[in-house]
Amino acid sequence: MALRHAVLAALLGGELSGYQLTKSFDLGVANFWHAQPQQLYAELTRLEKDGLIAGREVVQESRPNKRLFQVTDAGLTELADFTAAAAKPAFIRDDLLVKVQAADHVDTEALIAQLSERAAFAQGKLDLFDKLLRNMRGERTEDEFLRGGDPIGPYLTCLRGLAFERGNRDWCQRTITILRARARSSQQSI
Amino acid sequence: MALRHAVLAALLGGELSGYQLTKSFDLGVANFWHAQPQQLYAELTRLEKDGLIAGREVVQESRPNKRLFQVTDAGLTELADFTAAAAKPAFIRDDLLVKVQAADHVDTEALIAQLSERAAFAQGKLDLFDKLLRNMRGERTEDEFLRGGDPIGPYLTCLRGLAFERGNRDWCQRTITILRARARSSQQSI
DNA sequence: TCTGACTAGTCAATTTTATGAGTAAGGAGA
DNA sequence: TCTCCTTACTCATAAAATTGACTAGTCAGA
């Protein structure tokens, strides 16, 4: 039941449409949760039915109409309860790690190709997160913003996203280096 | 369909029983994937049916009998194909980040409690991974092991697990510091 | 001797996520 | 003009993961 809380948390920054939400939860961003559009629209419907968010129709001229949602008081209470409850630990669940686990039994070049791709992807997200952070803090230095900037929640989660992707990139690069060095030395010994 | 490859990868190190597998995939370890026992037993059944692993019954005296599984040639081929195919990017999906995203709207002390708990959990896994790595490399230094140690796959994924948990711990601690500092200064201004 | 933990699993039900396919309109570029 | 991209969604189905309960014997410690 954490998707619902993720949606609530995302809506705290102000009214959003389902479509706008999908933009935050998709491939590119998703600095604190990830979900498919279908899941989000379904969750929005449920949240509204449960009174945790309220939607209003916005008529648009040269665009399809949209519905903007905002968190209700009941929604805030729900979030507070969720925050007080124990969080499940976060686990790694990553295709790429499965492939590396099997490194001794699969083709090294294929593995390196995957690692390079992931490193590039991570770098892309890194740049994006960096931009987002700059945007949030505006003129201020990071320290200044962390001391008194507002809202701080999205900034903090973005910092985690940044560190995570940096971790991904660095590990991929190091792993490539290691695998290449081993491939060279095993070739020499043949 | 990545759980099946995760199981295959885990069995590369040698025969394991379902129960032993659950130990690797549970809370404590899970350095490259995480899954519940029920999922693992179900997957083992499917893998055997598909001929990707072979099981043999081991009769035990003062313990229930067990079935040990090992990867077949077909299983290796399957893993090779999997490795060559594009990996899905790994996303963050973490209760705790949802809570922090809502930091501006929930009780700071409750949040800090969650962050402390997570930091402690991460430290626990950190210690565990450190032990696992020492175990794998034995007498050798890390550099020596990385250059020629065998098997290298599990070592590399464990390094990623270590970095991930270090990232968790550091971010939790930093976030706590930031939130505390902000709480103090906002109290002063009241 | 009783309790709880460990080994070694299984069954059923539900929830959560992912995949694939559609609708419908406007605007930008080749 | 044709095609693709973006906004703004919906429906249906399949796959993956979680939750809870249950069996059954062994061993160690209070």
Side-chain angles (χ1 to χ4, degrees), chain A residues 1 3 33-34 36 38-39 46 62-64:
Chain A
M1 294 278 256
L3 173 61
W33 200 268
H34 171 257
Q36 248 72 44
Q38 293 91 326
Q39 235 188 310
R46 251 169 300 174
S62 67
R63 290 268 152 235

Side-chain angles (χ1 to χ4, degrees), chain A residues 7-174:
Chain A
V7 171
L8 286 173
L11 291 175
L12 288 174
E15 287 185 320
L16 288 178
S17 68
Y19 187 75
Q20 287 174 299
L21 259 187
T22 67
K23 293 295 154 192
S24 321
F25 280 76
D26 88 343
L27 282 168
V29 194
N31 48 340
F32 71 103
W33 200 268
H34 171 257
Q36 248 72 44
Q38 293 91 326
Q39 235 188 310
L40 292 169
Y41 283 112
E43 197 60 52
L44 284 171
T45 307
R46 251 169 300 174
L47 280 165
E48 194 180 22
K49 199 192 67 197
D50 296 346
L52 304 184
I53 60 174
R56 65 185 184 90
E57 184 92 10
V58 173
V59 180
Q60 298 186 114
E61 296 265 304
S62 67
R63 290 268 152 235
N65 294 348
K66 60 182 174 186
R67 303 200 61 205
L68 293 183
F69 296 94
Q70 66 179 12
V71 181
T72 62
D73 288 348
L76 278 177
T77 307
E78 174 73 20
L79 257 182
D81 292 351
F82 172 70
T83 302
K88 307 177 195 161
F91 294 114
I92 286 185
R93 206 172 252 167
D94 184 349
D95 274 16
L96 186 57
L97 285 184
V98 173
K99 297 177 183 188
V100 171
Q101 176 83 14
D104 303 275
H105 304 263
V106 300
D107 179 51
T108 302
E109 282 312 312
L111 199 50
I112 286 177
Q114 297 293 316
L115 286 161
S116 306
E117 203 177 296
R118 174 63 64 86
F121 177 82
Q123 183 62 55
K125 287 197 84 171
L126 224 51
D127 295 342
L128 180 66
F129 285 147
D130 197 56
K131 232 175 260 174
L132 288 176
L133 289 169
R134 276 171 204 285
N135 232 27
M136 284 190 260
R137 66 174 182 259
E139 305 284 276
R140 288 158 290 189
T141 66
E142 180 153 280
D143 267 4
E144 274 170 353
F145 186 81
L146 290 175
R147 267 197 292 274
D150 184 44
I152 194 69
Y155 198 92
L156 292 170
T157 56
C158 201
L159 280 178
R160 183 68 191 104
L162 189 81
F164 176 68
E165 293 301 346
R166 189 150 43 209
N168 272 332
R169 185 200 57 188
D170 293 351
W171 176 80
C172 285
Q173 288 174 348
R174 187 175 180 211

Side-chain angles (χ1 to χ4, degrees), chain B residues 112-156:
Chain B
I112 287 177
Q114 298 293 318
L115 286 161
S116 306
E117 204 177 294
R118 175 61 66 85
F121 177 82
Q123 183 63 55
K125 287 197 83 171
L126 225 50
D127 295 342
L128 180 67
F129 285 146
D130 197 56
K131 233 174 260 174
L132 288 175
L133 289 170
R134 277 172 203 284
N135 232 25
M136 283 190 261
R137 68 175 180 257
E139 305 284 275
R140 289 158 291 190
T141 66
E142 180 152 280
D143 267 4
E144 274 169 355
F145 186 82
L146 290 174
R147 266 198 292 275
D150 184 42
I152 194 68
Y155 198 92
L156 292 169

